[in-house]
Amino acid sequence: MTDDTATQVLDAIEGRRTERRRFLAYAGGATAGTAALSLLAACGADGTASTTSSSTVSSVATTTTEVDVFNFALNLEYLEAQFYAFAAYGTGLSAALLTGVGTQGSVTGGAQVPFTDPVVAQYAREIAADEAAHVTFLRSLLQSAAVAMPAINIDGSSATGAFSVAAQAAGVVAAGGIFNPYASDENFLLGAFLFEDVGVSAYKGASPLLSNPTYISNAAGILATEAYHAGLIRSVLYRKGIEATPSLLTNAQKLSDARDSLDGSSDDDQGIGDATVANITPADPTTAIAYSRSTGQVLNIVYLNKASVKLGGFFPAGVNGNIFTSAPSG
């Protein structure tokens, strides 16, 4: 997370849940928690596979398995889970949900959002519950093969925090500026927007890698939930942009352009529209089918780097498991 990252990107440019669904139940009852950016994505030559022994990762290529794909998703669920947990409740996931294969890391940053719009606060709590449930579900599916939560940076209090670096790169804030997704309802929505669309495109990209009918059903179910989340965030951003804060439309487009500049030459990512035309569903204009990202492209975005690297951005020490290298998208 350096100035080089920002330069690279700039150069390339409410209570429908019942008690059983409440957040504390999903987080194990000890602390408030939230789950993650479900970023399942297709893995091919861009995602280096390896064997893992405890915290040691080998660079020996192996065949990608369905376990590898779900562990990749779990890494990214940890990320979004922690973001939403802190935003909604001011604390992270239960420690019992963080253990597993590989090096367990800690969370840098995170704070409770001082919500002024009760509807946005309700949405934050609902998504937090869903994401914590995704972490719990994937861990139960993977059992002893589940990876531990890696080191995560969701800091919004400094110019070198991952959110600030992403916002600098997109031009949402000036070079060296601070973007704090916990400072307001609007900032929270932009922070969520940065993650949510990536998750949908990633699960779409993962579909060719799965052959077990149960796994396909599980992935489709999580994809559907993530699509609801993404549509919700885009809708609220658009409404607030039209009614009160036009800069939200502009900044959402800037973040979309930044994601596009990181994950390759294609121009698939889409903003939320303008003052006259809404764009709540980012999809192919002819078929209305959502586009896909590979695991390497997903890692380009969360590492905040368009080169082929193994760490950075929101994952300062990289992710755990056999899929960990971003794509050479520069």
Side-chain angles (χ1 to χ4, degrees):
M1 298 180 296
T2 66
D3 290 342
D4 290 341
T5 302
T7 300
Q8 276 189 337
V9 180
L10 287 172
D11 288 343
I13 295 269
E14 102 180 300
R16 68 181 177 82
R17 289 290 196 243
T18 60
E19 282 301 312
R20 70 182 177 81
R21 292 294 313 264
R22 290 192 64 83
F23 180 83
L24 293 179
Y26 285 134
T31 64
T34 140
L37 166 76
S38 320
L39 299 182
L40 262 176
C43 176
D46 55 23
T48 301
S50 70
T51 58
T52 37
S53 174
S54 184
S55 61
T56 302
V57 178
S58 165
S59 61
V60 177
T62 63
T63 301
T64 300
T65 68
E66 290 174 317
V67 169
D68 293 332
V69 173
F70 277 102
N71 262 325
F72 181 74
L74 179 56
N75 276 285
L76 298 157
E77 292 288 350
Y78 284 135
L79 170 61
E80 228 179 12
Q82 296 291 16
F83 168 65
Y84 281 114
F86 276 99
Y89 296 100
T91 187
L93 291 172
S94 166
L97 293 179
L98 309 182
T99 60
V101 178
T103 301
Q104 182 176 330
S106 58
V107 177
T108 299
Q112 188 169 12
V113 177
F115 292 108
T116 57
D117 186 335
V119 174
V120 176
Q122 276 280 48
Y123 289 161
R125 289 191 288 269
E126 179 176 357
I127 296 175
D130 291 341
E131 300 295 3
H134 287 169
V135 168
T136 301
F137 172 74
L138 288 174
R139 287 174 58 86
S140 68
L141 183 70
L142 291 161
Q143 298 186 4
S144 61
V147 295
M149 185 196 77
I152 287 174
N153 186 312
I154 50 172
D155 181 37
S157 64
S158 71
T160 57
F163 277 110
S164 294
V165 172
Q168 291 166 29
V172 173
V173 298
I178 294 174
F179 176 77
N180 185 355
Y182 314 104
S184 65
D185 298 52
E186 291 76 14
N187 279 18
F188 161 75
L189 291 167
L190 288 172
F193 172 75
L194 180 63
F195 288 149
E196 289 295 347
D197 283 2
V198 182
V200 176
S201 61
Y203 270 105
K204 167 68 163 49
S207 56
L209 297 177
L210 303 176
S211 58
N212 182 304
T214 299
Y215 287 173
I216 293 172
S217 177
N218 291 335
I222 297 177
L223 169 57
T225 300
E226 296 299 333
Y228 279 124
H229 294 169
L232 174 64
I233 296 299
R234 294 174 72 93
S235 297
V236 179
L237 273 172
Y238 187 76
R239 177 177 62 81
K240 287 183 175 291
I242 291 295
E243 293 179 352
T245 314
S247 63
L248 290 176
L249 305 179
T250 303
N251 286 335
Q253 185 62 55
K254 288 179 178 179
L255 290 171
S256 171
D257 290 342
R259 289 188 305 225
D260 244 339
S261 72
L262 285 167
D263 69 1
S265 59
S266 63
D267 186 16
D268 294 325
D269 209 300
Q270 300 171 22
I272 58 176
D274 57 30
T276 58
V277 179
N279 186 43
I280 303 306
T281 306
D284 181 275
T286 303
T287 64
I289 294 175
Y291 58 92
S292 303
R293 281 188 174 96
S294 70
T295 52
Q297 291 174 312
V298 170
L299 290 174
N300 285 135
I301 295 171
V302 296
Y303 287 169
L304 300 178
N305 198 318
K306 62 183 180 180
S308 178
V309 297
K310 298 178 181 179
L311 53 82
F314 294 96
F315 291 103
V319 296
N320 284 322
N322 291 335
I323 302 173
F324 54 82
T325 304
S326 58
S329 298

